[in-house]
Amino acid sequence: MPPLFFTYLFFSAVVSSLLILLLVVTKKIFTNHLSVRWHYNLWFLLIVVLLMPFAPKNMYRAMNEIKFEIPSIKTYFQTNHWKTPSDTIKQAFTSKDDKQDWGLDWDWDWMQDFSLSVNRVENKITYTLISLWGIGISIFLVSTFVVNRKTSFLLKEARMIKDTSLLSLYEQCKKDLQLKNSPALIESSFIKTPMLIGFFKTTILLPMDIANEVAINDIRHMLLHELCHYKNKDIFVNYLICFLQIIYWFNPLVWYGFQQMRIDREIACDIAVLKTMDEKNYKNYGLTLINFLDKISNPSTLAFSSSMSGSSLQIKKRIRKIATFKGETKITTLKSILIFLLVGMVVFSNAGLLSSLQASNLYYDTEKLNIAYEDDSSYFGNYKGSFVLYDLQNNQYQIYNKTKSTERISPDSTYKIVSALIGLHCGVLKDKNTTLKWDGTKYPFDSWNKDNTLLSAMKSSTNWYFQKVDSQVGEENLKKYYGDLQYGNQDLSAGIHDYWLESSLKISPVEQVGLLKNIYSYETVFSKAEVDVVKNILKISENNGAVLSGKTGTGTENGKNKNGWFIGYVEKNNHTFFFATNIQNQDDATGKKATEITLSILKDKKIY
């Protein structure tokens, strides 16, 4: 399954495209109100948005996986639509050995964790696109390597400049820009224009014998230009831009945005040089660029170097800016900062909101909870999963697997607790004996092929019963109550019949426990009488004075049990302990197995 990283990558690609359009429009409207430097600075907003998938919080969460899926085939039609592999139809404890293993004294028929497989059409488009993205990355990495291999070659064959007059000029340029540290100055016979290269050991590379071929004033302009690049850390920005272009190679707007950023960077560098000169020398600086037009070759956008060169079109734009430059007032700078802040607030108030919604849709924030983390991995074996225990009287959570405990996943049949409560609250159900008629559809479980009461439907986990309840309650009412309960992501978009069945509705183990606690404590919209009906139905058995209540759930997709739940609570010695166990695997992750793990943990904790 694709990692969560790709969700954020796609999100950033969309936001960045909108941002580029916004920046282009903003720069056009406020051309005369933005200083040259702030025309360039605006593009750093684009870099921040493109780096969003790599923020520490996202990187941590990207280690987990989510499901990319399209809506399921409805599972309530004809019998031949069911996929029921022989090894996964019935998940039940039925043997005497099971009872003896746990030292319990009730009939294990409550553990009828029946699960029907939903047929998912594999999202081949998603995987194909990810594969294409990876191929594109590989191609551009190779291209970048080839382009920048020349850099190491240039450095190997270059030699230190010994011309004293050139070195003296270089020192004067450093003083003009108030630079204490500076890159080394070397020369090469393989270049025609000066360039700044090297990340860890930055170097200014000049054409061989430049002092004999170029006027001293032109050399000064070139050195000032490259030193301005060095002073502004443009080499680092270049590496960052190249990295992001490779990651977002599929987005032409990103390439366009960075092309414009490079142009604005060169113009900003030109203006920085002009500020070290008298106005009468502006023309001479422009002439330096013109003199180099015949030597300019368009540099690769994947190069890790900064140079004075560029395309002819870029040079013309730079010359126009130089010709019209008249200095910048403090008012212009102030307006530029205000425009930058305004655009930044527009971008990040929306991007931040959408990003937080995206994150909250996938994970639950446990920051305000009183949590002690523990290592229960020995109980889980090869299963990915989590265990959440909440001590009501001490307001204390004990959690195994911090990340998985907050990851939102399909509730499967555990949702039936809430469905029953909503049905009772809306008058669709009267009590535990409310009978709904079977419509004659043949199911692979005998207990489903007959009329069911709320009690028998919960015991047999009868899907059609709760689908009928939901249908009579109505989609709008369901959305309202799921919102009131703050049930996970509250997403019923997959359809009223199977939104809970490995589909759109998702909830984390921590939220399952919190919801059970609120229901148990009568802190929801449901009345005490309604809650007591469900409490009575969920009661499983008593063992040494402790009462266990709960509900299992199994998510079966394309014939494989991928998701297993057991949620509930234990009442013991005036203490109530709420728990939620979830396990995930490519197969054999069932409510039965989640129950085994739960009971092992509760037994060792001497809770049950």
Side-chain angles (χ1 to χ4, degrees):
M1 290 179 288
L4 178 58
F5 169 77
F6 291 104
T7 302
Y8 286 101
L9 185 74
F10 174 76
F11 171 76
S12 294
V14 172
V15 174
S16 64
S17 298
L18 297 175
L19 173 57
I20 291 166
L21 297 176
L22 175 62
L23 291 178
V24 170
V25 172
T26 300
K27 284 160 58 65
K28 187 73 173 176
I29 294 174
F30 297 105
T31 297
N32 298 325
H33 300 280
L34 281 165
S35 69
V36 169
R37 184 69 197 179
W38 283 96
H39 267 282
Y40 171 57
N41 288 345
L42 276 172
W43 291 110
F44 282 94
L45 296 174
L46 173 61
I47 289 179
V48 173
V49 169
L50 293 176
L51 285 173
M52 283 173 61
F54 302 94
K57 189 174 183 180
N58 294 349
M59 284 291 287
Y60 175 74
R61 289 179 171 176
M63 292 187 293
N64 294 277
E65 298 175 336
I66 61 170
K67 295 180 179 179
F68 283 70
E69 59 191 27
I70 59 178
S72 66
I73 299 173
K74 301 301 181 184
T75 59
Y76 52 90
F77 290 135
Q78 300 299 326
T79 303
N80 60 356
H81 286 177
W82 297 110
K83 298 294 182 181
T84 54
S86 58
D87 293 336
T88 61
I89 291 180
K90 296 183 178 181
Q91 308 297 338
F93 287 141
T94 55
S95 71
K96 293 180 180 180
D97 291 337
D98 288 325
K99 289 183 278 187
Q100 292 171 356
D101 287 344
W102 298 104
L104 304 177
D105 58 356
W106 73 86
D107 186 350
W108 279 85
D109 285 345
W110 68 270
M111 182 52 76
Q112 296 187 51
D113 184 35
F114 296 150
S115 171
L116 287 170
S117 175
V118 291
N119 300 322
R120 301 290 181 203
V121 179
E122 291 295 334
N123 197 346
K124 293 181 180 179
I125 295 177
T126 299
Y127 291 99
T128 300
L129 291 176
I130 291 175
S131 298
L132 289 174
W133 177 79
I135 292 170
I137 292 284
S138 301
I139 292 172
F140 280 99
L141 282 174
V142 171
S143 300
T144 304
F145 174 78
V146 171
V147 169
N148 291 283
R149 189 178 181 186
K150 184 179 179 182
T151 299
S152 58
F153 170 76
L154 291 174
L155 289 173
K156 284 181 180 179
E157 68 81 34
R159 67 185 188 188
M160 299 298 295
I161 291 178
K162 297 180 179 179
D163 188 319
T164 55
S165 61
L166 196 56
L167 292 173
S168 178
L169 177 63
Y170 184 52
E171 290 299 319
Q172 184 58 51
C173 290
K174 286 161 54 179
K175 289 181 181 178
D176 291 343
L177 292 175
Q178 300 180 346
L179 282 173
K180 294 182 179 179
N181 299 317
S182 61
L185 193 64
I186 59 178
E187 60 183 356
S188 169
S189 57
F190 292 93
I191 62 171
K192 296 182 179 180
T193 59
M195 63 173 58
L196 189 71
I197 60 176
F199 184 75
F200 296 106
K201 188 177 180 181
T202 309
T203 304
I204 293 180
L205 196 58
L206 297 179
M208 186 74 73
D209 298 324
I210 189 173
N212 298 325
E213 299 180 6
V214 180
I216 194 70
N217 205 41
D218 285 346
I219 296 175
R220 178 175 181 271
H221 295 159
M222 296 174 193
L223 290 174
L224 285 171
H225 186 91
E226 299 308 325
L227 284 172
C228 279
H229 277 309
Y230 174 79
K231 185 176 182 179
N232 295 329
K233 306 292 189 294
D234 288 337
I235 280 289
F236 171 75
V237 175
N238 246 13
Y239 274 83
L240 198 54
I241 288 175
C242 286
F243 167 74
L244 291 173
Q245 279 188 215
I246 292 171
I247 296 297
Y248 293 91
W249 65 265
F250 56 88
N251 191 336
L253 280 175
V254 169
W255 284 72
Y256 171 78
F258 282 139
Q259 179 190 46
Q260 296 305 306
M261 184 178 182
R262 286 187 176 94
I263 293 174
D264 286 341
R265 181 183 65 194
E266 292 304 317
I267 293 173
C269 199
D270 290 334
I271 300 307
V273 172
L274 295 183
K275 288 179 179 179
T276 67
M277 305 176 179
D278 296 329
E279 188 173 348
K280 61 183 180 181
N281 291 320
Y282 292 177
K283 180 178 178 181
N284 292 332
Y285 181 78
L287 289 173
T288 299
L289 290 181
I290 294 173
N291 291 338
F292 269 79
L293 274 175
D294 62 330
K295 296 179 177 140
I296 289 172
S297 59
N298 198 15
S300 170
T301 57
L302 292 174
F304 293 142
S305 61
S306 294
S307 70
M308 199 171 183
S309 64
S311 66
S312 298
L313 187 63
Q314 178 181 324
I315 294 294
K316 290 177 183 177
K317 186 174 180 179
R318 290 168 62 186
I319 290 173
R320 283 198 296 269
K321 287 290 184 180
I322 292 169
T324 58
F325 179 68
K326 295 182 180 180
E328 296 166 349
T329 65
K330 291 183 179 179
I331 295 296
T332 302
T333 302
L334 180 61
K335 287 193 292 186
S336 298
I337 294 173
L338 290 175
I339 292 169
F340 179 88
L341 292 175
L342 179 63
V343 175
M345 284 189 292
V346 170
V347 171
F348 294 108
S349 63
N350 288 281
L353 173 62
L354 291 173
S355 181
S356 64
L357 288 175
Q358 179 78 353
S360 66
N361 187 51
L362 298 167
Y363 287 84
Y364 177 67
D365 185 4
T366 60
E367 186 176 345
K368 297 180 180 180
L369 302 181
N370 182 24
I371 298 174
Y373 293 100
E374 59 187 30
D375 183 8
D376 293 330
S377 57
S378 60
Y379 295 96
F380 283 79
N382 295 325
Y383 294 101
K384 296 178 182 178
S386 65
F387 174 75
V388 178
L389 183 70
Y390 176 68
D391 182 339
L392 178 63
Q393 278 64 38
N394 293 318
N395 187 30
Q396 175 71 53
Y397 281 87
Q398 295 179 48
I399 291 178
Y400 160 64
N401 198 329
K402 180 178 180 180
T403 305
K404 281 293 183 182
S405 68
T406 61
E407 182 184 11
R408 285 176 167 165
I409 48 184
S410 294
D412 296 306
S413 289
T414 64
Y415 109 102
K416 292 168 184 175
I417 296 172
V418 171
S419 179
L421 285 166
I422 295 174
L424 289 164
H425 190 70
C426 292
V428 174
L429 303 173
K430 301 302 180 184
D431 53 36
K432 67 179 182 179
N433 297 314
T434 301
T435 301
L436 295 182
K437 296 292 184 180
W438 171 51
D439 66 3
T441 301
K442 289 291 185 181
Y443 299 100
F445 316 116
D446 292 338
S447 59
W448 289 23
N449 297 324
K450 59 185 177 181
D451 298 347
N452 266 232
T453 63
L454 177 57
L455 177 62
S456 66
M458 190 72 77
K459 177 182 176 181
S460 299
S461 205
T462 308
N463 284 4
W464 66 258
Y465 187 95
F466 294 96
Q467 287 168 340
K468 281 193 173 185
V469 171
D470 287 350
S471 295
Q472 292 182 47
V473 168
E475 187 170 357
E476 290 305 313
N477 280 330
L478 285 175
K479 288 180 179 178
K480 176 184 180 301
Y481 290 116
Y482 276 105
D484 290 341
L485 293 170
Q486 295 186 327
Y487 190 102
N489 64 0
Q490 305 165 40
D491 185 355
L492 279 62
S493 62
I496 196 170
H497 287 278
D498 59 1
Y499 59 90
W500 48 275
L501 195 62
E502 291 301 304
S503 195
S504 61
L505 183 66
K506 298 180 186 296
I507 189 170
S508 67
V510 173
E511 288 173 293
Q512 291 268 39
V513 166
L515 179 63
L516 283 176
K517 188 268 291 183
N518 290 339
I519 292 171
Y520 179 90
S521 304
Y522 308 108
E523 296 174 355
T524 62
V525 297
F526 309 119
S527 70
K528 184 177 185 300
E530 292 158 359
V531 171
D532 286 344
V533 169
V534 175
K535 278 186 178 181
N536 182 267
I537 293 172
L538 293 178
K539 193 172 293 185
I540 297 170
S541 188
E542 182 176 348
N543 185 33
N544 296 326
V547 179
L548 174 68
S549 301
K551 180 73 183 80
T552 60
T554 298
T556 308
E557 187 176 330
N558 296 328
K560 295 183 177 181
N561 296 326
K562 295 185 174 182
N563 188 19
W565 283 101
F566 184 41
I567 68 171
Y569 52 90
V570 176
E571 298 166 291
K572 180 180 181 181
N573 299 331
N574 297 319
H575 270 68
T576 306
F577 300 89
F578 298 89
F579 61 82
T581 301
N582 177 259
I583 57 173
Q584 299 167 42
N585 207 346
Q586 291 301 311
D587 200 0
D588 193 35
T590 65
K592 172 185 175 180
K593 188 61 185 178
T595 302
E596 292 178 0
I597 292 171
T598 304
L599 293 177
S600 293
I601 297 174
L602 293 177
K603 182 178 180 181
D604 289 345
K605 289 180 177 290
K606 301 187 183 331
I607 293 175
Y608 194 81

